[in-house]
């Protein structure tokens, strides 16, 4: 999951919450610090990922995978509706995890100003 997210244009690895907690940020040439769209870490002995998304999508995924896909771990309440945390142990099919990672990336890209979106597109 981490490698998949890091292959996205403008993605880079950061550890703002400590060395055991990998965050993938989106950065463009004119941004000092990027926005996080994915986090990969171990929670109670289980490898998990937290992915950003639209509120409706977050709720849909939680309904599709009850008790498996949950609100974003450690996200402040205002942010929790825009993030889901789920295990990387196969409870959610890999194809669906990758789809959610793509949606997380697109969600953050869409929040950038148009000129920053163009920077990502033009490399």
């Amino acid at each position: 999951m981490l490698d998949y997210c890091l292959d996205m244009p403008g993605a880079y690895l950061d550890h703002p919450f400590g060395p055991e907690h990998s965050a993938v940020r989106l950065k463009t040439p004119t941004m000092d610090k990027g926005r996080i769209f994915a986090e990969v870490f171990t929670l109670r002995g289980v490898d998990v990922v937290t992915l950003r998304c639209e509120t409706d999508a977050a709720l849909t995924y939680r309904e599709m995978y009850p008790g498996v896909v949950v609100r974003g771990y450690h996200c402040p309440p205002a942010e929790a509706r825009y993030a889901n945390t789920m295990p990387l142990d196969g409870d959610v099919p890999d194809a669906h995890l990758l789809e959610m990672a793509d949606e997380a990336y697109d969600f953050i890209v869409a929040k950038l100003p148009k000129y920053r979106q163009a920077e990502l597109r033009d490399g």
Side-chain angles (χ1 to χ4, degrees), residues 46-49 61-70 85-97 100:
V46 177
D47 292 333
V48 299
V49 62
Y61 290 127
R62 291 174 202 170
E63 288 173 7
M64 288 174 66
Y65 301 100
V68 175
V69 176
V70 297
T85 298
M86 64 220 76
L88 294 171
D89 63 2
D91 285 345
V92 177
D94 288 349
H96 215 167
L97 286 172
M100 287 189 258

Side-chain angles (χ1 to χ4, degrees), residues 12-52:
Y12 73 97
L13 183 62
D14 192 15
H15 295 95
F17 309 114
E20 302 297 319
H21 192 115
S22 297
V24 182
R25 291 182 183 265
L26 177 62
K27 185 175 183 180
T28 67
T30 59
M31 291 175 74
D32 290 333
K33 193 133 185 147
R35 294 181 178 204
I36 295 172
F37 69 93
E39 299 170 57
V40 179
F41 55 99
T42 301
L43 178 63
R44 297 189 240 357
V46 177
D47 292 333
V48 299
V49 62
T50 296
L51 297 167
R52 303 296 182 263

Side-chain angles (χ1 to χ4, degrees), residues 95-114:
H96 215 167
L97 286 172
L98 298 180
E99 179 182 310
M100 287 189 258
D102 290 338
E103 289 177 15
Y105 178 83
D106 293 342
F107 176 70
I108 295 300
V109 169
K111 293 194 170 296
L112 298 175
K114 297 291 182 203

